[in-house]
Amino acid sequence: MAVSRYAQRMAMSTLREESAKRTPRMRKVKRVVYGAALLGATYTGWLMYRNRNPAEQQAFDPSKKTLVLLGTGWGSTTVLKNLDTEHFNVVVVSPRNYFLFTPLLPSCTVGTIENRSIMEPVRLLMRHKSREVKFYEAECTDIDADRKELTLVRRTSTEDAAKGSDGPVKISYDYLVVGVGGTVNTFGTPGVEEHACFLKEIGDARKIRRQLMDSIESAAFDNISDAERERLLHMVVVGGGPTGIEYAGELHDFLQDDLSQWYPELAKKIRITLVEALPNVLPAFDKKLIDYTQSTFDENRITILTRTMVKEVKEKSFIVQNPDGSRSDIPYGLLVWATGIKAQPVVNRIRAQFGEVQTNGRGLLVDEYLRVKGARDIWALGDCALSGYAPLAQVASQQGKWLARRLNSVAAQAARENKNDADMFALIEEKSRPFKYSSQGSLAYIGSEKAIADLPFFNRNITAGGVATFWFWKSAYLNELFSLRNSTLVVSDWVKRFFFGRDISRE
């Protein structure tokens, strides 16, 4: 009995000694965690303060060259974000005064994310530059490359647009960066412009939401036929690329998570169909991911029609050519056109001035330094530039970073050598390596909190799909957002959706 008590005391003593040894370690861990949290909170607070209290800017310097950025898309905005305005007088021209984070645009169509959460006002970026940056909310309608002059048309409201605005304004440039992106390619299909919804701008997301809710509310009336109700509840997506796939996935989630609660009788009758002219969807992805997407869509009752070409879109139906060559007339309530892109009108006007070398109607041919072939002091990047790379946001972003860094480096060297008239166009080629795109992989959301990823890893690709990939997709997009403001708003929207669901109001 005494031995047993002695053994218990010894065991308790050993435990106390081990606990005493662990306590200092735990204290150190806690201190590290608390210190990291404090540093993170301090840094976040500093970012928020700096965002609200920008420093004083230098005024325009007549001795500096004027650099004009056309557009506020991925390429031009990345140039602006990374450019040292100490060496240039910078002017930004765009018909919209914000940058739009397009990868999350499908989420805005069903209220998963609010529209303004993915819009970054361009003046926030401009105000934090060392030198004043001018902004003109206008559309560039013409470029005189010989005189280095741009023609702008100011359109600040729908009334101005209808009246043709207040007349053209002309501005001059020394260097020009064209990053106007592309516009929707309808491939000449009759009726698309009049009856289909696109998915490229924030206004398109609003239009899709209105038409979607209009179709559902109209189908709720008792005095319509079963055929008309079936038509209204048929939602069609044309285009099997990432945009079309993600919109179909978001639409399914809206149906499953929200409409099934508020419209239980109608939700069971809603059909989603995706139409693709190619043999399979997501042609740029690995075959395993294509199969995984198709099986997920089958589980979610999303119909995929491959090798099916849309020949005409009418007000309430569209005509397709089936794989066997026959044609079918399919009724629809909402049709979203998410296919390829084509050149903007201003790009075609630039091409016309250098017709001997600008022979491709899809955009501006550029060399390995992103210089427009045949032109002088003009660079092009993003979707409007034909550089041999796919028209992707990450391509435009990398091009913007590369060009901004080259301009910064060459301009700084010219300033040190007091060469104010240095030829940036030639010096970039002389002092820099050509632009080379480095793929960061491809991501796509496919619905039901599942995503797919095709990521490069050394000399091979890693493919993944599922719920874990969905969380990686979320974190990757959060990391790519342009500011802490946007990241905070998007996270807030995700949290609101989790607790309260999506808003089903029409607007």
Side-chain angles (χ1 to χ4, degrees):
M1 193 71 171
V3 174
S4 176
R5 290 174 181 170
Y6 176 76
Q8 289 178 357
R9 286 197 297 270
M10 291 298 294
M12 291 297 294
S13 177
T14 302
L15 288 174
R16 282 195 296 270
E17 289 177 2
E18 292 179 353
S19 177
K21 291 178 181 178
R22 286 197 299 267
T23 300
R25 295 194 196 121
M26 292 302 297
R27 286 175 180 169
K28 289 180 181 179
V29 171
K30 288 180 179 179
R31 287 171 183 170
V32 170
V33 172
Y34 292 154
L38 180 61
L39 286 175
T42 302
Y43 179 66
T44 301
W46 177 77
L47 287 177
M48 295 171 65
Y49 175 82
R50 191 186 66 168
N51 183 63
R52 296 283 293 173
N53 299 274
E56 291 294 325
Q57 292 180 303
Q58 302 176 51
F60 260 49
D61 185 348
S63 66
K64 305 291 184 183
K65 297 290 185 71
T66 298
L67 173 68
V68 175
L69 302 176
L70 278 189
T72 50
W74 281 92
S76 297
T77 306
T78 305
V79 171
L80 175 63
K81 185 177 182 180
N82 292 275
L83 187 68
D84 184 357
T85 56
E86 174 69 26
H87 306 298
F88 302 96
N89 293 319
V90 180
V91 178
V92 180
V93 177
S94 175
R96 67 184 191 194
N97 68 346
Y98 57 88
F99 164 77
L100 181 66
F101 190 80
T102 50
L104 289 176
L105 191 58
S107 298
C108 295
T109 61
V110 294
T112 305
I113 293 175
E114 296 297 328
N115 295 340
R116 292 195 176 276
S117 298
I118 62 169
M119 298 163 66
E120 176 75 2
V122 71
R123 289 187 181 274
L124 293 184
L125 296 174
M126 293 163 47
R127 186 61 185 84
H128 289 274
K129 308 306 290 186
S130 60
R131 187 179 301 281
E132 176 190 1
V133 178
K134 288 187 178 180
F135 175 74
Y136 296 113
E137 189 178 52
E139 181 180 352
C140 180
T141 57
D142 201 5
I143 296 176
D144 189 330
D146 293 330
R147 300 176 61 182
K148 291 190 173 182
E149 191 174 70
L150 307 178
T151 301
L152 313 181
V153 175
R154 183 178 66 88
R155 291 187 176 134
T156 57
S157 67
T158 54
E159 291 80 6
D160 287 340
K163 294 185 294 185
S165 83
D166 296 333
V169 176
K170 294 186 181 294
I171 64 171
S172 299
Y173 68 87
D174 294 300
Y175 300 109
L176 177 66
V177 178
V178 182
V180 295
T183 187
V184 179
N185 194 346
T186 64
F187 302 99
T189 307
V192 174
E193 294 279 357
E194 295 82 4
H195 306 299
C197 294
F198 301 132
L199 191 49
K200 193 165 181 62
E201 299 290 343
I202 204 70
D204 299 331
R206 295 191 186 103
K207 181 179 178 181
I208 289 172
R209 182 178 180 83
R210 286 195 298 268
Q211 189 161 333
L212 172 64
M213 297 313 301
D214 278 349
S215 295
I216 294 172
E217 292 292 355
S218 297
F221 280 82
D222 295 328
N223 61 341
I224 62 172
S225 65
D226 291 339
E228 176 65 5
R229 183 174 290 108
E230 183 178 350
R231 178 192 73 80
L232 288 167
L233 298 179
H234 185 203
M235 313 305 172
V236 178
V237 183
V238 179
T243 300
I245 291 293
E246 291 194 337
Y247 175 67
E250 291 283 358
L251 186 56
H252 165 267
D253 290 353
F254 188 36
L255 166 65
Q256 188 71 26
D257 300 340
D258 302 278
L259 296 182
S260 59
Q261 296 182 18
W262 312 118
Y263 303 86
E265 295 182 359
L266 295 179
K268 299 175 183 178
K269 300 176 181 179
I270 295 177
R271 294 186 298 130
I272 304 173
T273 300
L274 189 141
V275 181
E276 172 56 55
L278 296 177
N280 52 260
V281 298
L282 299 172
F285 282 73
D286 185 89
K287 179 65 165 57
K288 290 185 293 185
L289 297 180
I290 295 173
D291 294 339
Y292 180 75
T293 300
Q294 291 177 333
S295 65
T296 301
F297 273 29
D298 288 342
E299 293 174 5
N300 294 339
R301 295 186 300 172
I302 300 175
T303 303
I304 300 178
L305 302 178
T306 56
R307 302 179 188 272
T308 304
M309 186 176 296
V310 178
K311 306 302 290 185
E312 182 182 358
V313 177
K314 296 182 285 187
E315 185 179 3
K316 296 182 179 181
S317 66
F318 65 105
I319 298 174
V320 299
Q321 180 175 303
N322 300 308
D324 60 3
S326 63
R327 295 199 174 194
S328 303
D329 195 349
I330 304 175
Y332 71 88
L334 168 68
L335 189 146
V336 176
W337 190 271
T339 58
I341 60 172
K342 65 179 181 180
Q344 296 273 17
V346 68
V347 170
N348 292 327
R349 292 190 179 95
I350 298 175
R351 287 181 48 252
Q353 297 181 53
F354 309 101
E356 293 183 0
V357 291
Q358 294 293 333
T359 55
N360 195 316
R362 293 187 297 110
L364 294 171
L365 290 168
V366 297
D367 64 13
E368 56 191 353
Y369 296 93
L370 306 181
R371 299 177 300 189
V372 175
K373 292 184 177 181
R376 181 73 183 169
D377 296 331
I378 302 178
W379 293 271
L381 35 73
D383 293 353
C384 68
L386 302 179
S387 57
Y389 301 111
L392 301 172
Q394 59 178 292
V395 172
S397 180
Q398 289 185 30
Q399 288 175 335
K401 288 179 182 178
W402 180 90
L403 182 57
R405 289 168 181 167
R406 300 291 82 77
L407 287 168
N408 292 342
S409 176
V410 172
Q413 181 178 346
R416 288 194 299 269
E417 298 173 358
N418 290 322
K419 295 180 179 179
N420 294 330
D421 295 327
D423 185 353
M424 304 288 175
F425 206 62
L427 281 177
I428 284 181
E429 179 180 7
E430 181 183 332
K431 303 291 184 180
S432 309
R433 292 181 179 180
F435 169 76
K436 186 176 181 181
Y437 168 62
S438 175
S439 175
Q440 304 302 307
S442 301
L443 295 168
Y445 180 63
I446 59 175
S448 297
E449 296 193 345
K450 296 178 182 178
I452 56 174
D454 194 347
L455 306 173
F457 185 74
F458 291 102
N459 294 323
R460 58 189 293 266
N461 276 24
I462 295 177
T463 59
V467 176
T469 310
F470 165 68
W471 287 102
F472 175 76
W473 172 85
K474 277 192 167 186
S475 63
Y477 280 2
L478 276 180
N479 183 62
E480 290 296 321
L481 284 163
F482 259 46
S483 68
L484 175 65
R485 168 186 171 275
N486 285 134
S487 299
T488 303
L489 290 174
V490 168
V491 170
S492 174
D493 290 339
W494 282 337
V495 172
K496 285 192 298 182
R497 187 214 63 79
F498 179 80
F499 285 106
F500 304 110
R502 298 171 182 83
D503 187 354
I504 61 170
S505 58
R506 183 177 178 275
E507 298 297 332

mmCIF file of all heavy atoms in Angstrom, residues 151-175:
data_model
loop_
_atom_site.group_PDB
_atom_site.id
_atom_site.type_symbol
_atom_site.label_atom_id
_atom_site.label_comp_id
_atom_site.label_asym_id
_atom_site.label_seq_id
_atom_site.Cartn_x
_atom_site.Cartn_y
_atom_site.Cartn_z
ATOM 1 N N THR A 151 -8.549 61.585 -80.067
ATOM 2 C CA THR A 151 -9.869 62.211 -80.091
ATOM 3 C C THR A 151 -10.752 61.518 -79.065
ATOM 4 O O THR A 151 -10.955 60.299 -79.125
ATOM 5 C CB THR A 151 -10.512 62.108 -81.486
ATOM 6 O OG1 THR A 151 -9.657 62.749 -82.438
ATOM 7 C CG2 THR A 151 -11.875 62.771 -81.507
ATOM 8 N N LEU A 152 -11.265 62.289 -78.117
ATOM 9 C CA LEU A 152 -12.077 61.745 -77.031
ATOM 10 C C LEU A 152 -13.503 62.244 -77.135
ATOM 11 O O LEU A 152 -13.748 63.394 -77.496
ATOM 12 C CB LEU A 152 -11.508 62.148 -75.664
ATOM 13 C CG LEU A 152 -10.009 61.971 -75.429
ATOM 14 C CD1 LEU A 152 -9.663 62.397 -74.010
ATOM 15 C CD2 LEU A 152 -9.583 60.537 -75.688
ATOM 16 N N VAL A 153 -14.443 61.384 -76.785
ATOM 17 C CA VAL A 153 -15.852 61.749 -76.700
ATOM 18 C C VAL A 153 -16.308 61.492 -75.275
ATOM 19 O O VAL A 153 -16.239 60.362 -74.787
ATOM 20 C CB VAL A 153 -16.713 60.947 -77.697
ATOM 21 C CG1 VAL A 153 -18.193 61.265 -77.487
ATOM 22 C CG2 VAL A 153 -16.312 61.260 -79.127
ATOM 23 N N ARG A 154 -16.732 62.554 -74.607
ATOM 24 C CA ARG A 154 -17.147 62.443 -73.205
ATOM 25 C C ARG A 154 -18.572 61.932 -73.126
ATOM 26 O O ARG A 154 -19.483 62.479 -73.740
ATOM 27 C CB ARG A 154 -17.039 63.797 -72.516
ATOM 28 C CG ARG A 154 -17.380 63.752 -71.027
ATOM 29 C CD ARG A 154 -17.200 65.123 -70.396
ATOM 30 N NE ARG A 154 -18.169 66.073 -70.924
ATOM 31 C CZ ARG A 154 -19.390 66.238 -70.397
ATOM 32 N NH1 ARG A 154 -19.772 65.500 -69.379
ATOM 33 N NH2 ARG A 154 -20.206 67.126 -70.905
ATOM 34 N N ARG A 155 -18.761 60.854 -72.339
ATOM 35 C CA ARG A 155 -20.094 60.302 -72.129
ATOM 36 C C ARG A 155 -20.245 60.010 -70.652
ATOM 37 O O ARG A 155 -19.738 59.020 -70.158
ATOM 38 C CB ARG A 155 -20.291 59.027 -72.945
ATOM 39 C CG ARG A 155 -20.353 59.316 -74.451
ATOM 40 C CD ARG A 155 -20.716 58.080 -75.233
ATOM 41 N NE ARG A 155 -20.865 58.407 -76.647
ATOM 42 C CZ ARG A 155 -20.345 57.702 -77.625
ATOM 43 N NH1 ARG A 155 -19.616 56.647 -77.368
ATOM 44 N NH2 ARG A 155 -20.545 58.035 -78.887
ATOM 45 N N THR A 156 -20.946 60.862 -69.960
ATOM 46 C CA THR A 156 -21.102 60.702 -68.517
ATOM 47 C C THR A 156 -22.496 60.274 -68.097
ATOM 48 O O THR A 156 -22.756 60.099 -66.930
ATOM 49 C CB THR A 156 -20.763 62.021 -67.800
ATOM 50 O OG1 THR A 156 -21.590 63.064 -68.313
ATOM 51 C CG2 THR A 156 -19.311 62.396 -68.025
ATOM 52 N N SER A 157 -23.405 60.122 -69.034
ATOM 53 C CA SER A 157 -24.757 59.676 -68.692
ATOM 54 C C SER A 157 -25.399 59.095 -69.934
ATOM 55 O O SER A 157 -24.921 59.260 -71.048
ATOM 56 C CB SER A 157 -25.613 60.841 -68.172
ATOM 57 O OG SER A 157 -25.863 61.776 -69.206
ATOM 58 N N THR A 158 -26.517 58.397 -69.730
ATOM 59 C CA THR A 158 -27.227 57.822 -70.870
ATOM 60 C C THR A 158 -27.772 58.904 -71.788
ATOM 61 O O THR A 158 -27.866 58.728 -72.991
ATOM 62 C CB THR A 158 -28.379 56.929 -70.377
ATOM 63 O OG1 THR A 158 -29.206 57.699 -69.483
ATOM 64 C CG2 THR A 158 -27.842 55.720 -69.646
ATOM 65 N N GLU A 159 -28.140 60.055 -71.192
ATOM 66 C CA GLU A 159 -28.629 61.152 -72.020
ATOM 67 C C GLU A 159 -27.528 61.679 -72.924
ATOM 68 O O GLU A 159 -27.733 61.940 -74.104
ATOM 69 C CB GLU A 159 -29.182 62.283 -71.143
ATOM 70 C CG GLU A 159 -30.465 61.965 -70.396
ATOM 71 C CD GLU A 159 -30.214 61.157 -69.138
ATOM 72 O OE1 GLU A 159 -29.029 60.938 -68.793
ATOM 73 O OE2 GLU A 159 -31.201 60.733 -68.510
ATOM 74 N N ASP A 160 -26.313 61.825 -72.360
ATOM 75 C CA ASP A 160 -25.187 62.278 -73.169
ATOM 76 C C ASP A 160 -24.903 61.292 -74.290
ATOM 77 O O ASP A 160 -24.600 61.678 -75.410
ATOM 78 C CB ASP A 160 -23.938 62.445 -72.307
ATOM 79 C CG ASP A 160 -24.037 63.672 -71.411
ATOM 80 O OD1 ASP A 160 -24.857 64.557 -71.735
ATOM 81 O OD2 ASP A 160 -23.308 63.743 -70.418
ATOM 82 N N ALA A 161 -24.980 59.998 -73.962
ATOM 83 C CA ALA A 161 -24.701 58.987 -74.972
ATOM 84 C C ALA A 161 -25.717 59.067 -76.108
ATOM 85 O O ALA A 161 -25.381 58.941 -77.280
ATOM 86 C CB ALA A 161 -24.718 57.594 -74.338
ATOM 87 N N ALA A 162 -26.971 59.277 -75.745
ATOM 88 C CA ALA A 162 -28.014 59.364 -76.763
ATOM 89 C C ALA A 162 -27.832 60.590 -77.653
ATOM 90 O O ALA A 162 -28.106 60.560 -78.854
ATOM 91 C CB ALA A 162 -29.390 59.399 -76.095
ATOM 92 N N LYS A 163 -27.338 61.691 -77.057
ATOM 93 C CA LYS A 163 -27.164 62.920 -77.829
ATOM 94 C C LYS A 163 -25.805 62.989 -78.528
ATOM 95 O O LYS A 163 -25.511 63.939 -79.233
ATOM 96 C CB LYS A 163 -27.306 64.128 -76.900
ATOM 97 C CG LYS A 163 -28.692 64.314 -76.330
ATOM 98 C CD LYS A 163 -28.787 65.584 -75.516
ATOM 99 C CE LYS A 163 -27.927 65.538 -74.274
ATOM 100 N NZ LYS A 163 -28.093 66.715 -73.409
ATOM 101 N N GLY A 164 -24.952 61.959 -78.275
ATOM 102 C CA GLY A 164 -23.635 61.992 -78.882
ATOM 103 C C GLY A 164 -22.652 62.810 -78.087
ATOM 104 O O GLY A 164 -21.613 63.213 -78.584
ATOM 105 N N SER A 165 -22.959 63.098 -76.819
ATOM 106 C CA SER A 165 -22.116 63.838 -75.881
ATOM 107 C C SER A 165 -21.990 65.301 -76.280
ATOM 108 O O SER A 165 -22.734 65.819 -77.101
ATOM 109 C CB SER A 165 -20.739 63.178 -75.766
ATOM 110 O OG SER A 165 -19.901 63.595 -76.826
ATOM 111 N N ASP A 166 -20.996 65.986 -75.703
ATOM 112 C CA ASP A 166 -20.821 67.415 -75.924
ATOM 113 C C ASP A 166 -19.844 67.727 -77.048
ATOM 114 O O ASP A 166 -19.399 68.851 -77.192
ATOM 115 C CB ASP A 166 -20.317 68.075 -74.629
ATOM 116 C CG ASP A 166 -21.354 67.967 -73.536
ATOM 117 O OD1 ASP A 166 -22.540 67.895 -73.872
ATOM 118 O OD2 ASP A 166 -20.970 67.949 -72.350
ATOM 119 N N GLY A 167 -19.490 66.757 -77.837
ATOM 120 C CA GLY A 167 -18.534 66.975 -78.915
ATOM 121 C C GLY A 167 -17.159 66.448 -78.574
ATOM 122 O O GLY A 167 -16.830 66.237 -77.399
ATOM 123 N N PRO A 168 -16.315 66.229 -79.566
ATOM 124 C CA PRO A 168 -14.998 65.628 -79.333
ATOM 125 C C PRO A 168 -14.018 66.581 -78.659
ATOM 126 O O PRO A 168 -14.101 67.791 -78.794
ATOM 127 C CB PRO A 168 -14.536 65.273 -80.747
ATOM 128 C CG PRO A 168 -15.258 66.239 -81.638
ATOM 129 C CD PRO A 168 -16.581 66.477 -80.987
ATOM 130 N N VAL A 169 -13.086 65.980 -77.916
ATOM 131 C CA VAL A 169 -11.988 66.698 -77.277
ATOM 132 C C VAL A 169 -10.693 66.049 -77.738
ATOM 133 O O VAL A 169 -10.610 64.818 -77.839
ATOM 134 C CB VAL A 169 -12.087 66.621 -75.741
ATOM 135 C CG1 VAL A 169 -10.892 67.285 -75.084
ATOM 136 C CG2 VAL A 169 -13.380 67.250 -75.264
ATOM 137 N N LYS A 170 -9.686 66.870 -78.026
ATOM 138 C CA LYS A 170 -8.411 66.327 -78.502
ATOM 139 C C LYS A 170 -7.333 66.554 -77.457
ATOM 140 O O LYS A 170 -7.230 67.639 -76.872
ATOM 141 C CB LYS A 170 -8.012 66.973 -79.829
ATOM 142 C CG LYS A 170 -8.962 66.636 -80.976
ATOM 143 C CD LYS A 170 -8.457 67.164 -82.304
ATOM 144 C CE LYS A 170 -9.420 66.856 -83.434
ATOM 145 N NZ LYS A 170 -9.514 65.414 -83.695
ATOM 146 N N ILE A 171 -6.524 65.515 -77.197
ATOM 147 C CA ILE A 171 -5.384 65.630 -76.297
ATOM 148 C C ILE A 171 -4.157 65.037 -76.988
ATOM 149 O O ILE A 171 -4.279 64.170 -77.860
ATOM 150 C CB ILE A 171 -5.625 64.925 -74.942
ATOM 151 C CG1 ILE A 171 -5.790 63.415 -75.138
ATOM 152 C CG2 ILE A 171 -6.833 65.500 -74.228
ATOM 153 C CD1 ILE A 171 -5.805 62.634 -73.824
ATOM 154 N N SER A 172 -2.985 65.502 -76.581
ATOM 155 C CA SER A 172 -1.735 65.037 -77.177
ATOM 156 C C SER A 172 -1.011 64.086 -76.229
ATOM 157 O O SER A 172 -1.246 64.084 -75.022
ATOM 158 C CB SER A 172 -0.829 66.228 -77.504
ATOM 159 O OG SER A 172 -1.452 67.099 -78.428
ATOM 160 N N TYR A 173 -0.120 63.288 -76.782
ATOM 161 C CA TYR A 173 0.676 62.363 -75.985
ATOM 162 C C TYR A 173 2.091 62.276 -76.551
ATOM 163 O O TYR A 173 2.336 62.590 -77.721
ATOM 164 C CB TYR A 173 0.043 60.964 -75.969
ATOM 165 C CG TYR A 173 0.071 60.257 -77.312
ATOM 166 C CD1 TYR A 173 1.177 59.484 -77.699
ATOM 167 C CD2 TYR A 173 -0.995 60.333 -78.207
ATOM 168 C CE1 TYR A 173 1.210 58.832 -78.923
ATOM 169 C CE2 TYR A 173 -0.976 59.692 -79.428
ATOM 170 C CZ TYR A 173 0.133 58.939 -79.787
ATOM 171 O OH TYR A 173 0.167 58.297 -81.002
ATOM 172 N N ASP A 174 3.006 61.866 -75.704
ATOM 173 C CA ASP A 174 4.355 61.507 -76.145
ATOM 174 C C ASP A 174 4.493 59.998 -76.252
ATOM 175 O O ASP A 174 5.120 59.485 -77.178
ATOM 176 C CB ASP A 174 5.399 62.059 -75.170
ATOM 177 C CG ASP A 174 5.430 63.584 -75.166
ATOM 178 O OD1 ASP A 174 5.698 64.167 -76.237
ATOM 179 O OD2 ASP A 174 5.168 64.187 -74.109
ATOM 180 N N TYR A 175 3.905 59.306 -75.269
ATOM 181 C CA TYR A 175 3.882 57.845 -75.276
ATOM 182 C C TYR A 175 2.452 57.388 -75.002
ATOM 183 O O TYR A 175 1.732 58.011 -74.230
ATOM 184 C CB TYR A 175 4.824 57.271 -74.211
ATOM 185 C CG TYR A 175 6.266 57.685 -74.393
ATOM 186 C CD1 TYR A 175 6.852 58.588 -73.520
ATOM 187 C CD2 TYR A 175 7.034 57.182 -75.443
ATOM 188 C CE1 TYR A 175 8.172 58.979 -73.673
ATOM 189 C CE2 TYR A 175 8.346 57.576 -75.616
ATOM 190 C CZ TYR A 175 8.914 58.475 -74.732
ATOM 191 O OH TYR A 175 10.212 58.871 -74.894
#
